Amino acid sequence: MSVKIINPGILALLQDAGRFGKHQIGLTNGGPMDPLAFHWANRLCENEPGATAIEVSVGGLKLQVNVDTRVAVTGGEMPLKINGAEAERWQTHILKSGDTLELGYTTNGCRAYIAVAGGFQVDPSFGSTATVVRESLGGFDGAPLKAGDEIACNPDTSESLWQVPEDERPEYSNEITLRVIPGYQEHTFDRVQQRLFFHNTFEVSERCDRMGYRLTGPQVVSSIEGILSEGICLGAIQVPADGQPIVLMNDRQTIGGYPKIGSVLSLDLAKLAQLMPGGKVNFSAITIDCAHNALNLAHSRFGAAQLEAVEEN
Amino acid sequence: MKIHVAGENALIIYFGEETSPTISARVQQTAQRLPGLLGDGLIDLVPSYASLLVLFNPLLTDHLAVRQAIHSAAGDDNDAVVGEGRLVELPVYYSEESGPDLAALADRAQMSVQEVIDLHQGDEYRVYAIGFAPGFAYLGQVNERIAAPRLSTPRQKVPKGAVAIADQQTAVYPAVSPGGWNLIGLCPTPMFDPQAEPTMPVTVGDRVRFKSIEREEFLALGGELPEGGIE
């Protein structure tokens, strides 16, 4: 009983919530670039939080289920077809063995998530199934999904169908503001440089991937070129000598030596992960206390939000 | 000791600004004590040359509590003892064939290739940090006379096992990857094996010594020369 990949599209990766506690042997986190959309997909299938799902970047994926199950698709706006007919995203669907599911290319947003009831059954490596291609770890031999891959999953005969309430569905915008907790080497960026950074719009360059988003815009210069290599946290904004910031994402290297002006709030990284090259990015500074408030609020809001039952026609 | 905010779930502790066994010992000691103090609130630690990144769960604790734990863990400035660490010997096949930057490095240092090799294997190094890639151990300090800046154009493909120098750091590439360090030889010992326990032959705080071996021994130990040479 499995799900068979017919066409992986641009990039499809198996991801669970991420690989944690392994930085001391140099392993990064991996995990979903848009955790909110990922967690909704799992909730729609009544899965444990962090069950393994497929992250589809840009689109073009087609699969066939060889099991009776329920599936849900969330995230970036990639047109969903089930057995060739248009179907709703952000809700659960029943699939019978032999059915196909297809995601077209995105019209807005960049990452979508496909969850199946019970989660995809993949052996974890270092405690996680998250695929990190650069490390050849997780998923299927650390590689992106390819045509012919068969991912094991268990049958599911429940007929409960759910949808995410309209109010809870994120809207993906092509211009976003990222909240930044100033930190690390912020003092090496003088007042003028800080203003340049926080009062200008940057653009997502072609060089954006699961490791980092390289932005282009006015040159922001640190008074130092480099530092003794040190640990890098999720969302850290490093500014190399060319003055063009790089926001470090899930697959970032764990240590590095470029000066950093601070780190992006994780809730906003999910929005950045939904941008394609050309997307516009602004930054605004917040304190770490505000960041903690925002995280706690988001956590309780997600916990309190109720799925709506879908009435069958 | 200075503590800076790094991110919503991260504080970074700076124990100094240079590379030294004493500072490294403080990093190690604090890293060993924090898990007991933070419990489930701790997500991960990233020790490096003179700093320690502390990642915590902001839904279970906050930066103020973590700061307090850091102060208790770090203790007095003087109580960290430089541990002996284990001594790990890594064999290296030094040659033009396995180390394409060896000749240029010797020219730059105005010495013979053999002198470069002797200086590199003559010193004992300490593992200061692990990162960049799984199993990539940063070793220091390389003798100043053979320290060399990174290549102006990084290689697309550095072979697995490449022994390399950048500034006063040296390392063995655990897997094929892009890289800008100067390559001086190849080491047959796997630096990262997900199937093995432990997965790495070294850990932060260990001491490393390189030992020159011949081509035959390198191959006998399971070393592989990249087909078509190293670009």
Side-chain angles (χ1 to χ4, degrees):
Chain A
M1 281 164 290
S2 66
V3 164
K4 184 175 179 179
I5 302 296
I6 296 167
N7 181 350
I10 303 287
L11 177 67
L13 299 168
L14 287 163
Q15 295 291 346
D16 65 4
R19 189 171 286 109
F20 295 95
K22 302 294 175 194
H23 282 339
Q24 292 196 49
I25 53 172
L27 305 188
T28 192
N29 296 136
M33 293 277 276
D34 182 344
L36 182 62
F38 166 84
H39 287 302
W40 274 125
N42 273 324
R43 270 185 73 175
L44 286 167
C45 291
E46 298 177 58
N47 291 343
E48 292 292 316
T52 304
I54 300 175
E55 178 182 275
V56 178
S57 295
V58 189
L61 175 135
K62 187 173 182 183
L63 58 77
Q64 181 172 41
V65 299
N66 297 314
V67 59
D68 292 350
T69 186
R70 286 178 301 155
V71 300
V73 175
T74 61
E77 293 169 27
M78 301 177 198
L80 169 64
K81 282 184 180 172
I82 291 172
N83 295 326
E86 281 179 27
E88 288 292 318
R89 297 155 50 254
W90 300 96
Q91 79 163 53
T92 329
H93 297 278
I94 291 172
L95 294 189
K96 296 290 175 200
S97 187
D99 286 352
T100 61
L101 178 152
E102 207 172 336
L103 281 183
Y105 291 95
T106 182
T107 53
N108 189 15
C110 179
R111 326 268 168 192
Y113 295 87
I114 305 172
V116 294
F120 291 101
Q121 304 298 308
V122 187
D123 288 335
S125 38
F126 296 98
S128 163
T129 63
T131 312
V132 178
V133 176
R134 188 168 52 84
E135 296 178 348
S136 302
L137 284 181
F140 277 14
D141 299 327
L145 291 172
K146 54 186 190 304
D149 279 349
E150 295 192 34
I151 318 160
C153 53
N154 296 323
D156 171 85
T157 51
S158 163
E159 293 187 348
S160 304
L161 297 180
W162 304 102
Q163 63 184 7
V164 177
E166 286 285 345
D167 290 354
E168 299 294 335
R169 299 182 194 184
E171 275 178 35
Y172 301 117
S173 160
N174 203 37
E175 174 152 7
I176 58 173
T177 297
L178 303 178
R179 285 164 285 181
V180 173
I181 302 109
Y184 275 123
Q185 290 79 35
E186 57 163 323
H187 54 280
T188 71
F189 297 85
D190 67 26
R191 199 183 282 180
V192 174
Q193 302 304 320
Q194 300 248 0
R195 288 200 166 227
L196 276 172
F197 181 75
F198 285 110
H199 295 275
N200 276 290
T201 302
F202 292 81
E203 194 174 294
V204 175
S205 76
E206 294 288 333
R207 295 167 75 186
C208 60
D209 56 25
R210 286 187 46 93
M211 201 170 164
Y213 267 55
R214 197 177 279 261
L215 309 177
T216 54
Q219 239 192 349
V220 180
V221 183
S222 164
S223 61
I224 52 170
E225 270 205 10
I227 48 167
L228 210 49
S229 284
E230 65 182 28
I232 301 175
C233 66
L234 179 67
I237 306 162
Q238 69 181 21
V239 186
D242 68 4
Q244 302 294 282
I246 305 169
V247 182
L248 294 160
M249 309 292 276
N250 300 53
D251 290 4
R252 71 199 173 280
Q253 67 277 31
T254 53
I255 64 177
Y258 289 115
K260 298 174 281 302
I261 195 166
S263 299
V264 176
L265 184 72
S266 58
L267 302 169
D268 293 348
L269 284 177
K271 296 180 195 164
L272 180 61
Q274 291 289 1
L275 285 192
M276 303 272 274
K280 302 277 193 290
V281 177
N282 303 288
F283 295 102
S284 85
I286 60 164
T287 65
I288 189 169
D289 292 309
C290 286
H292 284 197
N293 277 341
L295 290 167
N296 277 294
L297 281 170
H299 182 74
S300 45
R301 176 172 175 166
F302 182 75
Q306 300 287 325
L307 290 171
E308 293 167 353
V310 177
E311 303 299 328
E312 287 236 61
N313 294 327
Chain B
M1 179 181 82
K2 284 184 201 150
I3 304 172
H4 286 209
V5 167
E8 68 187 25
N9 67 347
L11 293 177
I12 186 160
I13 320 166
Y14 295 108
F15 294 95
E17 285 170 359
E18 75 278 359
T19 305
S20 85
T22 323
I23 291 175
S24 181
R26 294 205 65 208
V27 174
Q28 291 312 306
Q29 189 182 71
T30 310
Q32 279 156 14
R33 289 177 179 169
L34 275 175
L37 291 163
L38 288 171
D40 288 347
L42 183 68
I43 291 178
D44 212 342
L45 293 167
V46 188
S48 191
Y49 289 89
S51 65
L52 177 64
L53 182 70
V54 182
L55 299 158
F56 57 90
N57 184 339
L59 300 175
L60 295 180
T61 182
D62 65 36
H63 64 106
L64 298 172
V66 176
R67 267 174 203 273
Q68 280 192 338
I70 289 170
H71 281 293
S72 325
D76 292 335
D77 276 357
N78 305 318
D79 71 349
V81 180
V82 182
E84 272 297 288
R86 284 181 312 150
L87 178 62
V88 178
E89 190 178 81
L90 295 175
V92 182
Y93 169 41
Y94 296 99
S95 71
E96 305 274 331
E97 172 189 35
S98 55
D101 300 322
L102 197 50
L105 207 144
D107 275 355
R108 186 191 162 82
Q110 295 181 310
M111 57 177 77
S112 71
V113 161
Q114 191 55 49
E115 284 174 301
V116 172
I117 296 171
D118 289 342
L119 281 176
H120 188 256
Q121 65 170 341
D123 274 334
E124 196 174 278
Y125 304 98
R126 193 165 276 270
V127 180
Y128 281 105
I130 291 168
F132 168 68
F136 192 99
Y138 290 81
L139 310 174
Q141 296 274 68
V142 170
N143 188 303
E144 273 180 16
R145 296 175 61 202
I146 55 167
R150 287 169 176 78
L151 306 176
S152 50
T153 311
R155 283 187 174 82
Q156 289 295 318
K157 215 174 162 183
V158 173
K160 177 182 176 180
V163 179
I165 292 177
D167 303 323
Q168 280 189 266
Q169 308 168 105
T170 184
V172 181
Y173 279 78
V176 175
S177 82
W181 291 31
N182 302 272
L183 310 186
I184 61 168
L186 284 169
C187 168
T189 310
M191 295 301 287
F192 181 74
D193 179 358
Q195 312 306 332
E197 185 56 48
T199 51
M200 292 186 62
V202 298
T203 181
V204 175
D206 283 351
R207 295 171 297 143
V208 170
R209 204 172 250 288
F210 294 105
K211 177 174 168 267
S212 179
I213 55 169
E214 296 301 320
R215 193 175 199 268
E216 292 69 34
E217 195 178 352
F218 169 73
L219 297 171
L221 288 168
E224 283 175 36
L225 288 162
E227 263 179 60
I230 304 168
E231 280 172 31

